[in-house]
Amino acid sequence: MALPARAKLTRHLLRLSKRFPRVQQRFFCDRSTSEKQESTETQRVFSGIQPTGVPHLGNYLGTLENWVSLQDRYPSVLYSVVDLHAITQPQDPHVLRSNTLDMVASLLACGVDPQKAILFCQSQVPEHAELSWILGCLTSMPRLRHLPQWKMKSKQKNEGSVGLYTYPVLQAADILLYKSTHVPVGEDQVQHLELAQDLARIFNRHYGDGFFPQPQALLSSTRKVKSLRDPSSKMSKSDPQAAATIFITDSPDDIAQKIRRAVTDFTSEVTYHPETRPGVSNLVGIHAAAAGITVDEALSLARGLDTAAYKGLVAEAVVQRLAPIRQRLERLRAERSHLEAVLEEGRQKARELAAPVLGEVRRLVGFC
């Protein structure tokens, strides 16, 4: 299937998966179907996150909460702080080091368990970079130009680095290096995962049939958390409006104030219509996710409340959800030696898995 047609089909299936969970099960290999397909192969999850400091509410509800769940569902799970990806944009070295440890502390505070998942820093496993080079030699330039990472960020900067251009190839190497079978992704990353799937097929065709498995997408059922000040865009750390983003380190008073200032509309009734009432619907989605209930249950709790009163209910749910995380994070940030020990243990475990795979890749390619 040609790339544009496949991308359209993927987007269509994503829309259907939100309305009909069975579509996601059928086309994106949820746990039940993939177990049948992989009876002789170990299931392995890989995902990475950039070291951008402390996560915000959208990061937690959309990604990290799912990470915690996956480490209990799959026998082999790897989570990487992807600092090689981070330097595709200019970084202050001191800030990068600090942000990396902050991210590790945040992951632990959110519930990532180094006894259940391998947590490591990408740059400390050199096999990532070498496999990326090998896969890059199998990737065409037109293929990369189609991907959203390059089109979006190069347009913002009016130009882009070679690292930014080949960013998706390194992502593919991250996944394939561990022969990962499942990758939790958002809708905006599906095309990058398709590149990893394509490169697995290309490598297998050239060098060793069946060497790399086809990694499958694990799509989170949590909707994206939108900016509190502009519900047409995602919640973001880089938002210039401080009130737009809730961080997991925010105090209860800060959270309540930000939610009170959240953009809604002139209708006082609380309803859920993302297209016509994005601001109120964003609050309903946050409430449901933070309280661990459905949207319908959140609307039931909101019955009889105007939007001003409902904001108080939403704030209470978010405060309760984040309070224990914030407390753990404050303690962990003061334990630098513990964070470094976690990364060292993760580095050793990751290299134990990565080294034999890259060694076989080198043999297949003809390097040794």
Side-chain angles (χ1 to χ4, degrees), residues 133-177:
W133 175 260
I134 293 169
L135 296 178
C137 293
L138 300 174
T139 310
S140 71
M141 294 177 68
R143 180 73 170 85
L144 294 180
R145 281 197 293 268
H146 283 291
L147 297 174
Q149 183 77 23
W150 172 255
K151 289 193 292 186
M152 177 182 67
K153 291 193 174 180
S154 63
K155 185 181 296 184
Q156 290 173 351
K157 301 288 184 180
N158 296 321
E159 59 181 16
S161 68
V162 173
L164 181 63
Y165 191 72
T166 59
Y167 185 113
V169 180
L170 179 56
Q171 281 187 318
D174 295 337
I175 295 164
L176 298 182
L177 180 60

Side-chain angles (χ1 to χ4, degrees), residues 9-301:
L9 175 61
T10 299
R11 287 194 294 270
H12 177 62
L13 293 176
L14 285 167
R15 288 193 294 269
L16 287 177
S17 72
K18 291 179 179 179
R19 297 177 58 192
F20 306 102
R22 290 184 182 276
V23 173
Q24 180 170 332
Q25 294 174 8
R26 170 64 181 84
F27 289 99
F28 294 103
C29 273
D30 80 344
R31 189 179 182 215
S32 59
T33 58
S34 60
E35 280 176 347
K36 296 176 183 177
Q37 296 168 355
E38 297 167 13
S39 57
T40 61
E41 186 174 34
T42 300
Q43 294 179 313
R44 176 166 290 152
V45 172
F46 177 91
S47 193
I49 189 167
Q50 288 208 29
T52 51
V54 173
H56 57 65
L57 181 66
N59 299 142
Y60 173 65
L61 295 177
T63 299
L64 302 184
E65 188 179 46
N66 188 41
W67 278 21
V68 174
S69 172
L70 291 174
Q71 69 185 2
D72 290 320
R73 291 173 48 198
Y74 287 86
S76 180
V77 178
L78 296 98
Y79 295 139
S80 180
V81 180
V82 289
D83 49 350
L84 292 177
H85 289 293
I87 64 170
T88 57
Q89 302 293 327
Q91 299 284 338
D92 180 305
H94 299 290
V95 173
L96 179 59
R97 292 188 191 98
S98 176
N99 282 348
T100 297
L101 290 179
D102 268 351
M103 181 56 72
V104 173
S106 298
L107 295 177
L108 297 176
C110 289
V112 171
D113 185 347
Q115 301 306 311
K116 297 178 180 179
I118 298 173
L119 177 59
F120 69 102
C121 196
Q122 181 191 33
S123 65
Q124 300 306 308
V125 182
E127 288 84 356
H128 285 258
E130 185 170 351
L131 182 58
S132 179
W133 175 260
I134 293 169
L135 296 178
C137 293
L138 300 174
T139 310
S140 71
M141 294 177 68
R143 180 73 170 85
L144 294 180
R145 281 197 293 268
H146 283 291
L147 297 174
Q149 183 77 23
W150 172 255
K151 289 193 292 186
M152 177 182 67
K153 291 193 174 180
S154 63
K155 185 181 296 184
Q156 290 173 351
K157 301 288 184 180
N158 296 321
E159 59 181 16
S161 68
V162 173
L164 181 63
Y165 191 72
T166 59
Y167 185 113
V169 180
L170 179 56
Q171 281 187 318
D174 295 337
I175 295 164
L176 298 182
L177 180 60
Y178 301 98
K179 294 193 172 182
S180 308
T181 58
H182 295 79
V183 183
V185 294
E187 295 177 28
D188 54 349
Q189 289 294 318
V190 168
Q191 282 185 271
H192 287 180
L193 181 60
E194 287 179 349
L195 177 64
Q197 294 169 336
D198 288 345
L199 287 174
R201 284 190 288 266
I202 293 169
F203 185 93
N204 292 348
R205 186 168 64 246
H206 279 272
Y207 298 113
D209 187 31
F211 182 76
F212 285 124
Q214 285 287 303
Q216 303 297 327
L218 290 172
L219 293 170
S220 171
S221 59
T222 303
R223 292 178 177 271
K224 285 187 175 65
V225 176
K226 303 294 186 178
S227 163
L228 296 178
R229 301 299 299 161
D230 177 12
S232 67
S233 60
K234 291 193 301 182
M235 185 172 285
S236 170
K237 295 178 184 178
S238 60
D239 197 308
Q241 298 188 75
T245 305
I246 294 173
F247 291 91
I248 65 173
T249 51
D250 281 349
S251 69
D253 287 344
D254 288 338
I255 292 170
Q257 183 180 43
K258 289 178 179 181
I259 291 178
R260 278 198 303 270
R261 296 180 61 190
V263 169
T264 52
D265 53 37
F266 296 106
T267 302
S268 62
E269 183 184 6
V270 178
T271 61
Y272 187 77
H273 300 292
E275 298 300 324
T276 58
R277 302 192 71 195
V280 174
S281 299
N282 186 38
L283 291 177
V284 173
I286 290 173
H287 180 203
I293 58 179
T294 66
V295 165
D296 286 342
E297 288 170 332
L299 290 173
S300 179
L301 292 174

